[in-house]
Amino acid sequence: MLINYRQAREIVLSQARSFGREEVSLEQAFGRVLSETVRADRDYPPFDRATMDGYALRYADLELGIRRFRVAGVLYAGGRPEMNTVIGAGECFRIMTGAAVPAPADIVIRRENVKEGDPFVELPGTAADLPSGVLPAPADPSFPWRPWQNIARQGEDLAAGEPAIEDACVCEPAVIGLLATLGRAGVTVERLPRVSILTTGNEVVPVGVPVGPVQIRNSNRWQLEAALRKGGIVPAVCTHAPDDPAALHDQLQTLIDDDLLILCGGVSAGDADHVPAALESVGIKKLFHKIAMRPGKPTWCGVTPSGRMVFALPGNPFSTFVNMTLLIQPFLQACFGLPPSGPMGVPLGVERKKRSPLDEFFPVYVHGSPVRAEPVALNGSGDIRLGRQANALALHPAESGALAAGAEVPCYLL
C-alpha cells in the first residue's frame, strides 16, 4: 500500500534525534545550529546612552521655561563621565552618539534642533519654531520634548541574566554579532552528522572519466554533496557500487554505522534493482518503500539496528532533488532542533494539467508583485537541467484536476 508524501514526512520526522553537541569557537560558529540558552552578561545598553549627537540637559529645566543653556563640557563615546560631573540649572553637555549620559541629565536635544553659540546654545520656544521634519508632531506643539528623549536607557534591550537566545537557531550574521556583543568567544552547537553517499549503477561513471555512448556521469553524487554542504555538512564518504548484490552488501556493511546514509539508484522494480534487498540483508529495517508522488515514487527509507537513518532514492536527478528537499533536509532540520519549514501558498501563473493520479511536484519560479509561481520547463525526472531557474517546488495535489491560472498551490522554497 502506497503512503503519501505527508505520511512519509511524518515517519521520517518521528525518527529525528540530535547527533550530539559540541563546543566551537565564535570563528567556527557561522552556519552552525546553536543549542544552548545564551544570557546577557550585563545590562544592554550597559549605561544610559545618547542615540543622537546633541546636548544633554535636565528635562526639569525645560519645564521651568529655560531655553538658553551654557555648555559645560563635551562627552565622547567611550569616555567615562567623571563621578563629580554635575549639570546645574541652565547647563548642558555637548554629547556624541554612543556616549554615556551623565546624571542628572535625562534628555538629549539634537544639534539640528538648537541654535549653537559659544559657550551657549538656545532652544526654540515651540515646535512651530523648528525646521520642517526635524521632530515628529508632538502632542503639545508648544512643548515638543519628553523625558529620556534620544537616550537609550540602561537595560532597556536586555537586563543582566535575561535570555538573549533561547531557541535553537542557525548562527547567521545577526546571531554571530549578538554573540560577540555578549562576549561569547565559544558556544555550544549541534554536532554535524557523519554522512555517507553511495550511488549505484553499472551505467554510472565518475565525472572526469571518459563516458561511453550508453553511460552517464555521476551527477547525483555531486548534487547530494552540494545540498549537504549548503547546510555545513561535508560527507565523510562518497562512493559507488555496481548493480551487484554482493558488492552492495559489502559496501553497506562498511557504512552502516554512519549517522546518515544516502543511496541513489536501484530502488525500483527492475531486474537490476538490488538495493532494497541489500539494505535488509545487513539488518536495516524498512520504514517505507514507495510514496504516492511524482517524481520519487520508488523512494525507500529505513533505520539501522543502532537507530541511524537510511534513505535510498531513485536515480533520476530530479527525483533525487525532490527527495532531498522534501524528506532529507527536513529530517536534518528536526535533528538540529529547528522548526520545520512548511510550504507557502502562491497563485499559479498559468494553467497546469494533471499528468498522473499521484501528488506531483514541479519546479517553479516564484516572483512578481503580486507574487505568482511560473512553472519552469522540465522534461520529466530524468531531465539533467533540474529546473535550474526554479526557486521553489510546487505541489499539484493528487485529488486535484487541472489547475487554472491563479489557483493557489503549495510551494516549498528552495
Side-chain angles (χ1 to χ4, degrees):
M1 177 179 171
L2 288 179
I3 61 173
N4 62 41
Y5 85 96
R6 298 174 190 84
Q7 293 169 314
R9 189 173 168 118
E10 288 176 6
I11 292 170
V12 166
L13 294 182
S14 72
Q15 298 295 319
R17 304 288 186 275
S18 171
F19 301 113
R21 296 175 174 84
E22 62 180 345
E23 298 287 326
V24 299
S25 69
L26 189 60
E27 289 180 328
Q28 300 170 315
F30 177 73
R32 301 294 295 274
V33 178
L34 197 66
S35 63
E36 64 167 310
T37 296
V38 178
R39 298 182 180 276
D41 61 318
R42 58 176 180 167
D43 289 341
Y44 288 93
F47 50 84
D48 291 339
R49 185 186 72 230
T51 62
M52 297 282 181
D53 295 332
Y55 293 88
L57 48 91
R58 303 188 313 178
Y59 181 76
D61 286 353
L62 297 175
E63 291 184 305
L64 292 172
I66 299 174
R67 297 294 181 267
R68 189 169 186 266
F69 294 84
R70 186 181 70 83
V71 181
V74 182
L75 300 172
Y76 296 92
R80 184 173 181 180
E82 298 298 327
M83 295 300 293
N84 59 356
T85 297
V86 175
I87 299 179
E91 291 185 330
C92 67
F93 277 89
R94 184 174 175 181
I95 193 166
M96 308 302 158
T97 301
V101 179
D106 54 2
I107 184 173
V108 171
I109 307 297
R110 300 196 318 173
R111 286 190 70 180
E112 297 93 325
N113 302 150
V114 304
K115 181 179 179 181
E116 295 180 304
D118 187 15
F120 291 92
V121 295
E122 293 185 21
L123 276 65
T126 69
D129 299 325
L130 293 171
S132 176
V134 298
L135 278 179
D140 180 0
S142 67
F143 199 82
W145 304 288
R146 62 185 185 277
W148 304 107
Q149 194 168 331
N150 299 321
I151 297 174
R153 302 296 308 278
Q154 178 174 339
E156 71 174 27
D157 295 338
L158 286 169
E162 185 179 351
I165 306 174
E166 292 186 86
D167 300 322
C169 67
V170 178
C171 290
E172 300 287 3
V175 176
I176 294 292
L178 175 56
L179 292 170
T181 298
L182 299 173
R184 296 299 302 269
V187 291
T188 303
V189 297
E190 291 291 328
R191 184 177 71 81
L192 297 175
R194 178 182 169 88
V195 181
S196 290
I197 297 171
L198 173 59
T199 53
T200 69
N202 293 338
E203 77 284 14
V204 179
V205 298
V207 174
V209 171
V211 61
V214 293
Q215 292 179 314
I216 59 173
R217 297 185 180 93
N218 193 349
S219 63
N220 282 333
R221 180 258 198 215
W222 294 101
Q223 180 186 177
L224 288 168
E225 180 174 350
L228 291 167
R229 283 180 177 270
K230 189 175 181 180
I233 300 170
V234 179
V237 175
C238 292
T239 188
H240 186 79
D243 293 321
D244 175 78
L248 279 169
H249 180 91
D250 292 343
Q251 289 269 35
L252 289 170
Q253 283 194 315
T254 67
L255 304 174
I256 195 171
D257 291 326
D258 290 343
D259 294 313
L260 175 62
L261 174 58
I262 306 173
L263 294 89
C264 246
V267 292
S268 193
D271 292 345
D273 291 326
H274 305 300
V275 167
L279 289 167
E280 295 186 40
S281 75
V282 294
I284 299 173
K285 178 185 175 183
K286 179 179 71 176
L287 296 176
F288 60 80
H289 185 195
K290 298 184 179 179
I291 307 173
M293 70 180 192
R294 178 183 179 182
K297 179 180 176 182
T299 299
W300 193 101
C301 179
V303 61
T304 70
S306 57
R308 270 78 167 185
M309 283 290 281
V310 178
F311 292 90
L313 314 179
N316 279 330
F318 191 62
S319 295
T320 299
F321 179 75
V322 167
N323 275 282
M324 188 71 193
T325 301
L326 295 180
L327 296 180
I328 299 177
Q329 288 176 335
F331 170 73
L332 290 170
Q333 281 186 302
C335 289
F336 294 145
L338 298 173
S341 51
M344 61 181 291
V346 181
L348 193 60
V350 297
E351 180 186 11
R352 186 179 191 274
K353 294 181 179 179
K354 199 76 168 65
R355 302 177 183 179
S356 75
L358 309 176
D359 285 323
E360 295 177 355
F361 290 91
F362 58 102
V364 293
Y365 179 54
V366 176
H367 69 111
S369 179
V371 68
R372 62 187 184 277
E374 300 288 353
V376 174
L378 191 76
N379 292 324
S381 61
D383 193 329
I384 64 169
R385 295 174 296 174
L386 292 169
R388 192 177 62 85
Q389 303 300 325
N391 59 8
L393 280 178
L395 168 63
H396 193 152
E399 63 274 13
S400 299
L403 295 173
E408 188 172 281
V409 292
C411 289
Y412 293 85
L413 297 180
L414 302 176

